[in-house]
Amino acid sequence: MTDNKDALYAAFKAKDARFDGRFFVGVSSTGIYCRPVCRAKQPKPENCTFYATAAAAEQAGYRPCLLCRPELAPGTSVTDATANLVYRAARMLEESSGSGQSLEEIAGRLGCTDRHLRRVFTAEYHVSPVQYLQTCRLLLAKNLLTDTDLPVLEVAMAAGFGSLRRFNGLFKKQYKLSPTALRKRAVEEKKHKDNVTLALSYRPPYLWDEMLHFLAGRAIAGVEVVKNGEYMRTVHLVNADGKPVYGWVRVGHDPKKYALSVTVSETLLPILPQVLARIRHLFDLYCDPGAVYETLQVMNGVRPGLCVLGARVPGCFNAFEMAVRTVLGQQITVKAASTLASRIVQTYGVPIQTAIEGLTHIFPLPEDLLSLGGAIEDHFGVLGVTAARSNTIYELVRAFVQGEIDFDLPAQPEEEMKKLMAIRGIGSWTAQYIAMRAMEWPDAFLETDAGVKKALQPYTSKELLKMAEAWRPWRSYATVNLWNTL
């Protein structure tokens, strides 16, 4: 993309938000690099160099612009159905920036050697994985320094730096500015509370109301709350030492800034990169709506209004939680499934204190459910779950605990769907739905889904499947568009 300099300069000049995060502009006359939406004085074309990533711009010697703030740019969008190795590696580096996970470990999870990963990563992004990771940490730290009043030491630790000395040295080296000097430049006064609020950008448009409506209908009482235009939930993750960390998050929408406002409890600071990565996944912030609409606008030839620019695929924050709720929802209403999930949470969930009314529990851990004595149907039956579904959930729990299935980013959705369908009680609909929401699979299509069939009456499932061939590789987005019409 960065080869077509005339087109990129035209997008930069137009301040077109659809290009935000897809490239960065190094300005030789100032020594800084900007997002394509930067409102600073327009530089001359001959002073502009274009880079695919912020890391590449920094390795070329440019400092981030203090006006447009490159750390707020949306992430790189996946442009093919299978998500290539480098894309997945970059996402994993972003999520693990505070965990201390080594490149060898990441390469192992991706099924390749660290030498091969370094080679292909450098060829694609023009920076090494270590340099990319360094930029992820620096940009997160810059975001925290600008938007919060956290002590510099806490900023350094939250961003994944092992020591304050290393953080200060690297920050000054890259940005020619100390962390404290940057903070002094922040115009707004920040009042430190027991939480931290950051902005996560997206490429507009974003159908926020439709996303919130979907999540509200499937919210699990005690774990999730949707009200006043915001989504809130409890959080349980583990830190780099394997110790549990508990807290809560609140996500709102700031349409003027093309961003989501994410507030996290202070207890989650040690695992902030993990939390932000899961928020991006849940709200599909890596999506390029223009690329999706370019393919799916043919849906409007079937019936006007079937496809709307800006629809997102709801992801998930906790893959196990979402998978269990999906099994509970087989052949019953969405509301009934939420009721059953809430009963399980109240009975077997972990109680937690939060500052938000209605957030009272953590979803049961797989290990806790597996350790229940006796037959699983005896435990779940009194809650209203059928014996067949109870046994399916037990097998799903066992597969999670034993590592037989993997919904994390390195997962190959088509392979994991086969494993899911090998579990008695899980068919194509359930496997596709889980892949769509837990594994970011953009090409799932639920031709037997009641909502899909209702939106496209009177077509049969076989006819729908044939029709949807023209919607590849974005059939998950087609499915969501169809649900949105109901």
Side-chain angles (χ1 to χ4, degrees):
M1 179 179 177
T2 51
D3 290 337
N4 192 339
K5 293 184 178 180
D6 291 341
L8 292 177
Y9 186 79
F12 182 34
K13 186 176 181 180
K15 313 303 178 192
D16 192 330
R18 291 175 296 177
F19 292 93
D20 193 15
R22 299 191 66 175
F23 66 88
F24 297 86
V25 187
V27 183
S28 59
S29 57
T30 62
I32 65 170
Y33 72 96
C34 302
R35 296 158 65 181
V37 293
C38 186
R39 294 293 174 181
K41 183 180 179 181
Q42 186 73 21
K44 297 178 180 179
E46 58 267 26
N47 291 335
C48 296
T49 306
F50 300 95
Y51 299 93
T53 66
E58 292 197 3
Q59 289 304 311
Y62 291 100
R63 304 184 308 278
C65 175
L66 297 180
L67 179 62
C68 67
R69 301 178 59 190
E71 75 273 13
L72 298 181
T76 304
S77 173
V78 58
T79 55
D80 57 38
T82 57
N84 61 57
L85 174 67
V86 176
Y87 167 79
R88 287 181 284 147
R91 291 283 302 277
M92 290 178 67
L93 287 168
E94 292 173 20
E95 182 171 355
S96 66
S97 61
S99 69
Q101 190 174 33
S102 68
L103 185 62
E104 289 77 8
E105 291 174 308
I106 290 176
R109 291 179 61 194
L110 290 167
C112 65
T113 65
D114 58 306
R115 180 181 178 183
H116 176 68
L117 180 57
R118 278 193 295 268
R119 183 170 62 248
V120 297
F121 197 100
T122 303
E124 179 71 21
Y125 285 165
H126 308 296
V127 292
S128 70
V130 172
Q131 291 168 331
Y132 189 91
L133 177 59
Q134 174 181 291
T135 296
C136 289
R137 288 173 172 166
L138 285 171
L139 292 179
L140 176 58
K142 183 177 178 298
N143 200 348
L144 289 169
L145 287 168
T146 305
D147 285 350
T148 77
D149 68 347
L150 286 173
V152 175
L153 176 60
E154 289 188 31
V155 169
M157 296 302 106
F161 292 93
S163 71
L164 181 60
R165 182 179 179 181
R166 172 172 168 73
F167 170 55
N168 281 328
L170 195 56
F171 201 93
K172 289 178 183 177
K173 179 182 177 182
Q174 285 296 113
Y175 299 157
K176 314 302 182 200
L177 197 67
S178 70
T180 52
L182 173 67
R183 171 155 284 165
K184 289 177 182 177
R185 292 194 179 193
V187 178
E188 296 181 10
E189 226 179 275
K190 307 297 187 302
K191 293 183 179 179
H192 185 51
K193 299 179 180 179
D194 293 333
N195 51 65
V196 173
T197 300
L198 298 171
L200 295 182
S201 298
Y202 58 79
R203 295 184 182 88
Y206 192 111
L207 301 185
W208 174 253
D209 290 341
E210 286 79 354
M211 171 66 80
L212 219 57
H213 177 76
F214 182 94
L215 295 176
R218 292 155 183 81
I220 302 174
V223 176
E224 300 171 288
V225 171
V226 178
K227 65 180 180 180
N228 300 326
E230 294 182 318
Y231 171 84
M232 294 154 277
R233 67 163 293 124
T234 57
V235 173
H236 165 258
L237 293 169
V238 296
N239 63 17
D241 299 323
K243 296 180 180 179
V245 180
Y246 299 92
W248 54 266
V249 298
R250 181 173 66 239
V251 184
H253 187 211
D254 190 345
K256 293 182 179 179
K257 294 183 178 179
Y258 302 132
L260 302 187
S261 173
V262 181
T263 302
V264 304
S265 61
E266 198 170 34
T267 57
L268 298 179
L269 281 178
I271 54 169
L272 185 59
Q274 287 188 61
V275 174
L276 296 181
R278 290 175 183 243
I279 293 294
R280 289 187 180 101
H281 169 34
L282 172 60
F283 289 97
D284 197 15
L285 299 189
Y286 290 97
C287 173
D288 181 344
V292 173
Y293 187 75
E294 186 176 350
T295 297
L296 295 187
Q297 59 184 326
V298 298
M299 295 176 65
N300 295 328
V302 179
R303 188 175 303 148
L306 284 184
C307 180
V308 179
L309 179 63
R312 299 300 206 274
V313 173
C316 69
F317 192 92
N318 181 319
F320 173 71
E321 170 191 305
M322 196 279 299
V324 170
R325 198 206 168 288
T326 301
V327 173
L328 290 171
Q330 293 173 338
Q331 298 178 333
I332 62 175
T333 65
V334 170
K335 184 177 180 180
S338 296
T339 299
L340 293 177
S342 299
R343 290 174 183 170
I344 292 175
V345 165
Q346 294 299 321
T347 307
Y348 301 107
V350 180
I352 181 177
Q353 294 289 331
T354 72
I356 298 175
E357 184 181 358
L359 295 186
T360 59
H361 287 75
I362 298 294
F363 195 83
L365 305 180
E367 295 80 5
D368 292 344
L369 292 181
L370 193 63
S371 64
L372 293 175
I376 188 70
E377 57 263 37
D378 292 339
H379 296 281
F380 283 3
V382 294
L383 302 179
V385 184
T386 65
R389 286 197 184 85
S390 296
N391 287 313
T392 298
I393 291 173
Y394 180 81
E395 289 302 313
L396 187 66
V397 170
R398 185 190 59 78
F400 257 95
V401 173
Q402 297 182 3
E404 295 176 3
I405 54 178
D406 182 9
F407 296 164
D408 289 336
L409 189 60
Q412 297 294 336
E414 290 171 311
E415 293 301 316
E416 298 305 316
M417 282 190 282
K418 291 178 183 178
K419 296 177 187 177
L420 282 169
M421 286 190 287
I423 297 175
R424 186 171 183 178
I426 293 183
S428 177
W429 181 92
T430 304
Q432 294 260 355
Y433 184 87
I434 291 174
M436 178 176 72
R437 295 197 58 195
M439 292 180 270
E440 302 186 38
W441 182 233
D443 201 32
F445 187 66
L446 312 178
E447 74 277 4
T448 62
D449 180 81
V452 169
K453 295 174 76 172
K454 183 177 180 180
L456 287 174
Q457 291 177 337
Y459 294 101
T460 65
S461 296
K462 187 175 181 180
E463 290 170 333
L464 291 176
L465 200 56
K466 183 177 180 181
M467 181 189 303
E469 282 297 307
W471 304 339
R472 288 182 180 270
W474 309 112
R475 294 186 300 172
S476 295
Y477 290 88
T479 300
V480 172
N481 269 286
L482 294 173
W483 286 338
N484 286 345
T485 65
L486 300 178

